[in-house]
Amino acid sequence: MVRTNDPVQAARLPQRRVGSPGADRLKGFVALLAILAIVGGVPYVLLRFFGTPWPDKMPSKSMLFSELSIETVLGIIAFFIWIAWLHFVICLIAEAVAEVRGHGLSPRVPLGGGSQVLARRLIGTVVLIAAGAGVSLPVASAVTTSGPAAPTSVTARHSGGDSAASQFRQTEASSTILTGNNQHAKKTTTGVRTNHDHKGQVIKYTEVRPPHGRNYDCLWDIAERHLGDGRRYKEIYDLNKNKLQPDGRRLTNPDLIMPGWQVRLPADAKGPGVHTVRVSVGDHTTTSTTETKTTTRPTETKTTETKTATKPKVTVDHKHESKTSGPGRFSEQGTEKGSSLGIVSSTTDPGAKNAKPTGPNVIAEPHVPGAGTNEQGEPAGGGTQVPVAVPVEAHSGISLQEAGIFGFGATLLAAGLALALKRRRGWAQGPGPKAAGQRQTEIDLRLAADVPTAQFVDNSLRKLGADMTQLSRPMPKVVAALVTDRALTLVLDPYEAQPAPPGPWQAIAEGTRWTLRRAYAPNADVNAPAPYPTLVTVGQNADGATVLIDLDTANGIVAFGGVTNASRDVVGSLAVELATNLWSEGAHISMVGFGDDLSSLAPARLSYWVRLDDAMAEVVRRTEAQVQACQRRDTGSVSEARMTHPDAALWGSEIIFLSAPPSPEEEDQLNRLAADAKRSISVVVVGDVLNSPWRFVVDEKNQAVCRLLGLEVDAHSVNPEQFADLVQLFDAAEADARDKRRSEQDMPAYEFSTTDLSQPAPVEVDLLGPVEVDARGAIDEGRIALSTEIVAFLASQDYGVHPNVLAGAIWPRGISQELRDSALEHTRRWVGVDAMYADESGRWMLNRSVVRVDWDVFRTLAKQASMVDDPRGPLSTALSLVHGPAWSNLPGGRYSWLAASGIERRMVEAVVDAALRLAEASLSHNDGNLARTALQTGLSFSPASEELWRATLRLASHFGTTADVTNVAGQMYAALTKHSGPRGPEAETDALVDELLPGYHRPAQVA
């Protein structure tokens, strides 16, 4: 259970002792001592006190009729003890030989009975010494599956390099077994599929039953129960040997299995308790028909005092032979149909083709990395035309497998952290002087972050919710989501009747998946509620797609078992992402029993608890308002009310993270809370929970498997050292945000002529907004992003930069000199050989007489304004160069050098100062329109600047009405909620609002 009575001593609390490797080793040593005591101690005592088992002299005939002495009786008893001891030693030897050979049960010893059973248990317990140590052994991949229209893949790196292949999952060896029903049997290849396996497969497994009295489940019983022949237990053992189980142990002894283990079965297994995940892959060259039976289960009513859930359980294609279903578990079946639920990659996803969704003759192409055609898409309403894709050079970007401290597949997690860090800095946006010590952490964070993808997911889901609400359609129940560079695919619950999706979404895989190609995503931020606030990334699958799961759909505890420390690192990453991502608005995360207090990363959304009962009491108190609101609005669930009655503060999700499995009483209470549809509560546990609907197994390589969902990913995780670095980085950002001192702005390296800005320059570089380069040369489409970054970096350097420094900034993970020079030459030909050059010392720079950088012009004009009596002219011209938030919409994995340059903060300081100075000068000449324009321009660049907002409030109060001031106050609080940190508005801001608008009701601060 979660130890909630003792204070946290270690940095990371251990899992419960029951079933831990340490306890197993202790039991094994005790059993070993018992064996040694019996084998060596018993003969020593007998020899010491009774002598040898044979007599000292030959017995005579008279001894049979003589009176028995006490010594004779004791000798007879000792003789039979010797016989029993010898018999037991033979049993021990037989069991030990069977264990060493690994062939299962030992031959039956005559008159063995209880002696052989005791010997088997002792030998099996001794094996726990090796089993406990074997937890750290490499694990083969478990099952990876997908739905009928979406085959899965688990890895296949077809290269000869061992080092490169070690980064990916190792494909499980195939096993050929007899399968089929009745008299017809055929050979089927089972095991984990590779990316190029189009034959399909069926994965079957069962769970080891808990003991009934003294009867323990064993592989023989499982084979007899599901295969009809107990002697086939060896097949089951071969399929599961050394596989990691949810409790962190592995099957190393066919006689030693534990209750709750998920045991894979041969393809012909059947009967109650068999769970099936079927992959039905349609061959593109043939036509196949798969019979699919979709069942819709009736919705059951639920109160907080009962265990019956309103939300249906998520199962994977179960046709019932025995119509029984345990609470919080999955259904059982006999003859299984193909699964209609798949989580991993979709090789038949039409998202790979950039064609109009509703257009004629749309053919679904394979959705795999590098697949698809290069056609230009005719976008739907509001979409953007897709340019022709041009291959990008291998050296032109950052590999996300190597990027950042979060490693493989952590793009959305890192994006949420990067955006949260920017909000924490508030008006400053960029790093200040106090962040110098955490510079490398921020560089790694920016390398791993993919902010455009996070915004794509957020805006797409919000737009979907708004469209479904407008059409009066219920939101579909989402099990998982797949995000690629081409599309967002939602995997829906196949046991729910789903409505038709709104355009440009497409329904695929018999309606069990909805997909939206990236070309048709919303172009701007969508002002609508987030429909799936508990959607969180678990990792990346073998095809490179980022996989997310919706914790709310689990309808119970989501358990992450396997290797405890690895599971805790994965769960920690889930908590951090939910506390910082864009679509979990209003969510609150409660971390119980973790030694790492991460609340400083998101103080308004994340809290730390030592006692579980205290955390549950607070969660119940907060969600009681949801229950009452659902009753008042006559809605059946929070998810429904969230869209029909938007209120992020009221309908925010509560997610509880536990560092170890709870006690049975706590587990029962948590399951009831999670199943209550009128409370938005989700629970995630480190460690195995037998009654959990979703049980993940995480190995020491951070590979996470959920056999029920057919999901296998390279899970991303954050370890304690990385947590400590992040906490220090966010603390430094907090300190920088409170520091209002302005740094002196350096003049450019030259005095740029500002007399005729209406005439275009040969090369123009815009940094005061989204980065843009207007050059005269030709360049391949695939090289534009890299060359733009090179030019922007050189534009931020006033006096040039050494090529090694440039290479370290643009390619922080390293690059060869040949590739570096090639990229620089492509860029130089693009902007012009006279616009970019290397001087005599080898330093690369831009020729400022040919290249016009708006940041240089801005600083020159700002300097001129300080030297004249009326600064309105130069400042107006300078602010006219601002065209949006600086350094926005940057591609993922690029511009990490911004963390070290400090140019972001200097730009904001300069623009805010210029806007305030122009507004003040305009008011001195009674020019309210120019003052308002100046302040609005400054706010477009730094929307979290409370200095600009307070000046805007005073301006509205001076020239406008009370309604104008109220409107500005509403815009201000909305902007601060979106762009500022968890501190909330400054006291000076609230005081000004109270002065100008007495009794103004401030909106609730959304966590």
Side-chain angles (χ1 to χ4, degrees):
M1 63 175 291
V2 178
R3 299 189 61 84
T4 58
N5 298 323
D6 301 330
V8 178
Q9 299 293 336
R12 298 161 72 75
L13 296 184
Q15 198 177 3
R16 59 178 176 182
R17 290 186 178 273
V18 177
S20 66
D24 290 343
R25 285 192 289 269
L26 179 60
K27 293 178 182 178
F29 281 118
V30 171
L32 181 61
L33 292 176
I35 292 175
L36 294 177
I38 295 175
V39 175
V42 170
Y44 172 79
V45 172
L46 292 175
L47 290 173
R48 178 72 173 78
F49 295 100
F50 301 100
T52 60
W54 52 85
D56 296 334
K57 58 181 179 179
M58 291 296 296
S60 60
K61 187 176 181 180
S62 61
M63 292 182 61
L64 298 176
F65 302 100
S66 62
E67 183 178 358
L68 294 176
S69 63
I70 187 65
E71 291 81 4
T72 304
V73 173
L74 291 176
I76 295 173
I77 295 175
F79 175 78
F80 283 103
I81 294 177
W82 276 106
I83 295 296
W85 171 84
L86 180 61
H87 182 270
F88 185 75
V89 169
I90 294 174
C91 293
L92 280 176
I93 294 174
E95 295 297 331
V97 170
E99 176 61 36
V100 171
R101 292 179 177 177
H103 293 319
L105 297 176
S106 62
R108 187 178 299 276
V109 177
L111 302 178
S115 297
Q116 190 168 5
V117 172
L118 177 60
R120 182 179 302 131
R121 291 191 176 182
L122 287 174
I123 294 296
T125 309
V126 170
V127 173
L128 289 177
I129 300 177
V135 171
S136 60
L137 294 176
V139 58
S141 295
V143 184
T144 301
T145 59
S146 180
T152 66
S153 53
V154 176
T155 194
R157 186 90 191 239
H158 299 285
S159 63
D162 295 335
S163 60
S166 64
Q167 300 177 2
F168 294 82
R169 286 170 294 223
Q170 298 300 316
T171 303
E172 179 183 344
S174 301
S175 59
T176 303
I177 58 176
L178 292 177
T179 184
N181 43 35
N182 299 331
Q183 300 89 355
H184 302 285
K186 60 180 180 180
K187 285 192 174 184
T188 301
T189 300
T190 64
V192 176
R193 293 177 53 252
T194 67
N195 288 334
H196 303 283
D197 179 10
H198 294 283
K199 298 179 180 179
Q201 65 176 153
V202 175
I203 301 299
K204 297 184 179 182
Y205 68 93
T206 188
E207 290 194 1
V208 179
R209 293 179 177 179
H212 295 280
R214 294 187 176 181
N215 297 322
Y216 287 80
D217 208 3
C218 63
L219 294 183
W220 182 286
D221 294 338
I222 294 174
E224 196 171 56
R225 193 161 59 238
H226 299 303
L227 302 177
D229 187 355
R231 291 172 296 182
R232 294 184 62 187
Y233 76 92
K234 295 182 180 179
E235 296 179 30
I236 302 177
Y237 176 69
D238 291 338
L239 285 173
N240 296 275
K241 187 177 181 181
N242 284 331
K243 293 296 171 52
L244 185 67
Q245 293 295 332
D247 62 356
R249 288 180 280 195
R250 302 178 190 272
L251 178 59
T252 58
N253 180 1
D255 299 331
L256 186 62
I257 58 176
M258 306 300 293
W261 278 14
Q262 296 174 334
V263 178
R264 183 172 169 184
L265 300 174
D268 58 337
K270 57 185 178 180
V274 175
H275 309 287
T276 299
V277 182
R278 177 187 295 271
V279 180
S280 179
V281 185
D283 194 342
H284 296 289
T285 60
T286 60
T287 302
S288 61
T289 302
T290 303
E291 179 185 356
T292 304
K293 181 177 180 180
T294 304
T295 59
T296 303
R297 289 166 291 175
T299 303
E300 301 170 324
T301 58
K302 161 85 176 52
T303 63
T304 54
E305 290 78 22
T306 65
K307 285 188 177 181
T308 307
T310 301
K311 309 174 192 174
K313 304 294 180 185
V314 177
T315 58
V316 181
D317 187 46
H318 299 308
K319 180 179 178 183
H320 301 282
E321 180 178 282
S322 173
K323 296 184 179 180
T324 59
S325 178
R329 304 301 293 274
F330 22 73
S331 306
E332 299 177 350
Q333 86 264 340
T335 304
E336 299 80 13
K337 291 292 184 182
S339 172
S340 56
L341 174 63
I343 300 299
V344 201
S345 62
S346 53
T347 48
T348 56
D349 191 342
K353 184 180 177 62
N354 292 323
K356 190 175 181 179
T358 56
N361 301 323
V362 175
I363 303 175
E365 296 293 339
H367 192 172
V368 295
T373 60
N374 294 331
E375 296 183 22
Q376 288 183 289
E378 181 65 28
T384 303
Q385 189 174 9
V386 182
V388 177
V390 178
V392 182
E393 288 185 342
H395 66 273
S396 62
I398 300 299
S399 172
L400 291 179
Q401 298 175 20
E402 303 174 352
I405 59 176
F406 306 101
F408 191 77
T411 55
L412 296 183
L413 165 64
L417 283 166
L419 292 172
L421 182 64
K422 186 175 182 179
R423 291 193 299 268
R424 182 65 59 88
R425 289 181 172 131
W427 69 272
Q429 295 188 8
K434 294 183 174 61
Q438 287 74 42
R439 183 172 297 169
Q440 187 58 46
T441 301
E442 184 170 355
I443 290 175
D444 291 341
L445 183 63
R446 293 189 184 224
L447 280 175
D450 190 353
V451 175
T453 297
Q455 294 171 338
F456 159 61
V457 173
D458 180 47
N459 292 324
S460 299
L461 294 178
R462 291 179 188 270
K463 186 64 165 60
L464 172 64
D467 291 344
M468 294 292 286
T469 302
Q470 184 178 6
L471 296 172
S472 299
R473 299 178 189 173
M475 291 298 295
K477 184 176 289 296
V478 171
V479 177
L482 302 172
V483 183
T484 67
D485 57 349
R486 304 177 185 225
L488 166 64
T489 302
L490 302 180
V491 182
L492 310 183
D493 184 357
Y495 294 101
E496 291 246 334
Q498 307 294 358
W505 287 82
Q506 277 186 286
I508 60 175
E510 299 180 354
T512 60
R513 294 187 179 205
W514 290 4
T515 185
L516 174 69
R517 290 191 287 280
R518 200 157 182 164
Y520 313 120
N523 291 327
D525 292 342
V526 179
N527 186 18
Y532 304 111
T534 59
L535 199 65
V536 64
T537 309
V538 289
Q540 198 171 53
N541 68 7
D543 281 350
T546 300
V547 181
L548 301 90
I549 59 173
D550 193 349
L551 299 177
D552 189 56
T553 305
N555 195 28
I557 295 176
V558 179
F560 283 80
V563 179
T564 304
N565 282 343
S567 300
R568 189 175 285 111
D569 292 344
V570 172
V571 169
S573 74
L574 302 183
V576 171
E577 181 177 335
L578 288 169
T580 57
N581 67 23
L582 294 173
W583 52 87
S584 295
E585 60 179 2
H588 190 272
I589 290 84
S590 301
M591 301 188 70
V592 183
F594 290 83
D596 313 307
D597 185 358
L598 309 178
S599 57
S600 61
L601 297 180
R605 287 169 63 168
L606 195 151
S607 59
Y608 174 78
W609 302 86
V610 176
R611 295 173 54 87
L612 176 58
D613 51 358
D614 293 340
M616 283 196 295
E618 180 64 17
V619 168
V620 170
R621 183 192 66 80
R622 282 199 294 260
T623 56
E624 191 62 33
Q626 297 178 349
V627 177
Q628 297 174 4
C630 286
Q631 294 173 349
R632 290 194 304 268
R633 292 169 170 82
D634 193 26
T635 54
S637 65
V638 170
S639 59
E640 176 185 349
R642 184 180 288 125
M643 304 308 301
T644 56
H645 303 84
D647 189 340
L650 174 61
W651 307 119
S653 296
E654 296 282 343
I655 305 102
I656 303 175
F657 287 87
L658 306 182
S659 67
S663 66
E665 296 79 11
E666 293 168 337
E667 179 183 337
D668 181 64
Q669 184 177 0
L670 289 171
N671 275 320
R672 290 202 307 270
L673 290 174
D676 190 350
K678 295 184 178 180
R679 299 179 189 267
S680 184
I681 299 177
S682 303
V683 183
V684 180
V685 172
V686 177
D688 188 32
V689 178
L690 293 182
N691 292 326
S692 171
W694 291 357
R695 297 170 68 192
F696 284 83
V697 181
V698 183
D699 66 11
E700 53 280 323
K701 295 182 180 179
N702 285 339
Q703 295 173 5
V705 176
C706 182
R707 294 180 174 92
L708 172 64
L709 299 179
L711 184 153
E712 181 175 2
V713 296
D714 287 302
H716 55 64
S717 62
V718 186
N719 60 41
E721 293 76 16
Q722 294 165 349
F723 276 137
D725 292 339
L726 287 173
V727 169
Q728 293 176 4
L729 177 61
F730 274 70
D731 289 344
E734 181 79 17
D736 278 332
R738 296 184 182 277
D739 185 5
K740 295 301 182 65
R741 291 175 297 176
R742 300 283 197 262
S743 61
E744 290 293 332
Q745 295 293 334
D746 296 331
M747 286 291 293
Y750 68 101
E751 287 290 338
F752 190 90
S753 174
T754 61
T755 57
D756 192 9
L757 292 179
S758 62
Q759 295 298 323
V763 180
E764 295 186 1
V765 180
D766 295 337
L767 302 181
L768 292 171
V771 178
E772 297 177 2
V773 177
D774 185 6
R776 56 193 175 187
I779 189 173
D780 292 338
E781 189 78 17
R783 296 191 176 99
I784 289 181
L786 173 62
S787 295
T788 299
E789 183 180 5
I790 293 175
V791 173
F793 178 72
L794 293 176
S796 68
Q797 307 293 320
D798 291 335
Y799 303 101
V801 64
H802 193 276
N804 291 340
V805 177
L806 186 148
I810 306 299
W811 299 277
R813 299 300 175 186
I815 191 174
S816 67
Q817 181 177 349
E818 180 183 359
L819 292 178
R820 180 201 67 188
D821 294 342
S822 175
L824 290 176
E825 186 60 30
H826 284 301
T827 304
R828 186 168 182 245
R829 286 202 299 265
W830 177 41
V831 299
V833 294
D834 58 337
M836 174 179 166
Y837 64 93
D839 62 10
E840 296 79 3
S841 64
R843 299 171 65 89
W844 280 89
M845 62 182 64
L846 298 178
N847 184 356
R848 262 26 187 227
S849 63
V850 176
V851 180
R852 182 162 64 200
V853 182
D854 60 352
W855 173 232
D856 295 339
V857 178
F858 184 95
R859 288 182 292 169
T860 301
L861 292 170
K863 190 69 172 180
Q864 291 179 359
S866 65
M867 301 176 181
V868 297
D869 294 333
D870 187 0
R872 287 181 297 170
L875 290 178
S876 297
T877 305
L879 288 175
S880 68
L881 299 172
V882 175
H883 58 284
W887 311 102
S888 56
N889 300 325
L890 298 178
R894 296 192 182 276
Y895 295 87
S896 62
W897 48 269
L898 288 173
S901 69
I903 191 174
E904 291 173 295
R905 187 183 181 98
R906 293 196 303 271
M907 280 186 172
V908 173
E909 290 174 348
V911 172
V912 170
D913 282 342
L916 291 173
R917 288 167 56 195
L918 179 57
E920 183 179 356
S922 301
L923 288 177
S924 66
H925 290 78
N926 202 30
D927 190 349
N929 290 330
L930 182 57
R932 181 169 56 253
T933 301
L935 295 175
Q936 289 176 347
T937 303
L939 287 173
S940 70
F941 198 79
S942 178
S945 174
E946 295 190 45
E947 289 180 278
L948 294 177
W949 280 114
R950 288 194 292 267
T952 306
L953 283 170
R954 294 189 182 96
L955 184 66
S957 176
H958 182 72
F959 288 99
T961 63
T962 302
D964 296 328
V965 180
T966 304
N967 184 39
V968 171
Q971 294 176 3
M972 178 188 69
Y973 282 116
L976 295 181
T977 298
K978 182 176 182 179
H979 300 286
S980 190
R983 302 176 302 274
E986 298 174 0
E988 185 178 353
T989 302
D990 287 336
L992 179 61
V993 172
D994 292 337
E995 177 186 348
L996 300 178
L997 298 172
Y1000 177 79
H1001 179 68
R1002 300 184 186 87
Q1005 183 77 13
V1006 178

